[in-house]
Amino acid sequence: TGTDLLVNGNYYISQTDNTNGCSPSDTIVIAVTIQESQVPQIANDNLVFCESEAFTVADLGATGNGGVLNYYFSDGINLTAVNTTDLLQTGTYFVTQTGPANACESIDSLEITVAIGTTPPPTTANANQEFCVIDNATVNDLDLNAGTNTLNYFFDNGTSIVAVALTDVLLEGNYYITATDPNTNCTSTDSLVIGVTLNDTPAPNTSATTFEACVTDLATVNDLPATFIGTPNITLENPPNFILVIGTDILVNGNYFLSQTDPITGCLSSE
């Protein structure tokens, strides 16, 4: 009947005249060939991609036998045709093939499940962190929460953003930190930005680098010709060590090293 699906073979067609009820002595013969395109193939139909790498539909890796591949995406609700330049999304992709020897699209399709791995950036309770120059703090001293992820550190040197190691001494400026999930190997697309300020306290002021006093004067550390704007920190060289002294200690022959601590930043002068 007219609704039967065609199959390969010869079809013979005749007709009956509605007026006299006669059938023609000849029939028309139509040879029918049903063409079919091959379903595309893939080595792995369950793929994980990283959001940070911005893979496209062309990266799915489906192959045909010379025909044109057609891509469709399902988000679980709708099925839409997509281009090879479209960014991959989490969901299911269906791939068919047209040709190569015909204009037929394959009846069956290749189904590919795609998951886009996303990794959140690290977090911190303090996006602006202060350190003392004298402490020689390193990148490892930055206060942040990595969870179980591996961290990647970068520094903006004003010209470019360069990778830095945990053992590098901190510089003043902005650090950018991303996280890499050890399970998916996906790196966060966003970065945590930490601004670093390095505080230094100037050395005390002195009117002379040498000082003489009579033994009978019983001069004390307070008599040294120096003025402080912070908390004094004075040590006496006693090789191979240094001895911390206070203002009321009697002076002895030797070298005194004077520094001071800023009461606001808590930083000891580096010089």
Side-chain angles (χ1 to χ4, degrees):
T1 64
T3 58
D4 290 345
L5 292 176
L6 292 174
V7 296
N8 290 323
N10 294 323
Y11 285 81
Y12 296 84
I13 304 172
S14 62
Q15 63 180 347
T16 300
D17 192 308
N18 290 333
T19 302
N20 55 34
C22 295
S23 297
S25 57
D26 295 329
T27 59
I28 298 174
V29 180
I30 300 177
V32 171
T33 300
I34 303 299
Q35 297 182 330
E36 183 178 1
S37 296
Q38 177 182 305
V39 178
Q41 297 178 336
I42 194 171
N44 181 9
D45 60 3
N46 198 337
L47 304 174
V48 177
F49 295 92
C50 296
E51 182 183 22
S52 59
E53 295 173 319
F55 283 107
T56 65
V57 171
D59 295 308
L60 287 173
T63 59
N65 64 338
V68 176
L69 300 184
N70 314 291
Y71 297 88
Y72 305 89
F73 173 71
S74 172
D75 58 5
I77 300 175
N78 300 309
L79 183 68
T80 55
V82 292
N83 298 316
T84 54
T85 54
D86 290 345
L87 290 176
L88 289 175
Q89 305 175 62
T90 294
T92 304
Y93 286 83
F94 298 90
V95 189
T96 62
Q97 180 174 217
T98 300
N102 55 64
C104 300
E105 186 172 6
S106 57
I107 297 176
D108 296 324
S109 60
L110 169 66
E111 182 176 339
I112 305 172
T113 301
V114 169
I116 303 299
T118 58
T119 304
T123 59
T124 182
N126 182 10
N128 296 290
Q129 300 182 19
E130 298 186 11
F131 299 87
C132 299
V133 170
I134 197 171
D135 292 336
N136 288 320
T138 65
V139 173
N140 193 48
D141 293 311
L142 291 173
D143 181 21
L144 50 87
N145 178 28
T148 59
N149 295 328
T150 302
L151 297 183
N152 316 288
Y153 294 85
F154 305 89
F155 176 70
D156 185 353
N157 63 16
T159 303
S160 59
I161 296 178
V162 295
V164 292
L166 287 175
T167 54
D168 288 347
V169 174
L170 284 175
L171 301 174
E172 192 160 271
N174 288 330
Y175 285 82
Y176 297 83
I177 305 102
T178 60
T180 300
D181 188 320
N183 297 314
T184 64
N185 205 34
C186 291
T187 299
S188 56
T189 55
D190 295 326
S191 302
L192 169 66
V193 182
I194 296 179
V196 169
T197 300
L198 298 178
N199 295 312
D200 197 10
T201 304
N205 291 320
T206 181
S207 57
T209 57
T210 61
F211 179 75
E212 294 182 358
C214 299
V215 172
T216 55
D217 292 338
L218 296 178
T220 66
V221 172
N222 284 332
D223 294 316
L224 291 173
T227 56
F228 298 86
I229 59 173
T231 303
N233 184 283
I234 304 172
T235 56
L236 170 65
E237 185 179 17
N238 184 29
N241 301 312
F242 289 86
I243 301 172
L244 183 66
V245 296
I246 61 175
T248 57
D249 287 344
I250 300 295
L251 288 175
V252 297
N253 291 326
N255 293 322
Y256 286 83
F257 293 83
L258 286 65
S259 60
Q260 59 184 345
T261 301
D262 188 310
I264 297 176
T265 65
C267 291
L268 184 68
S269 52
S270 60
E271 297 180 353

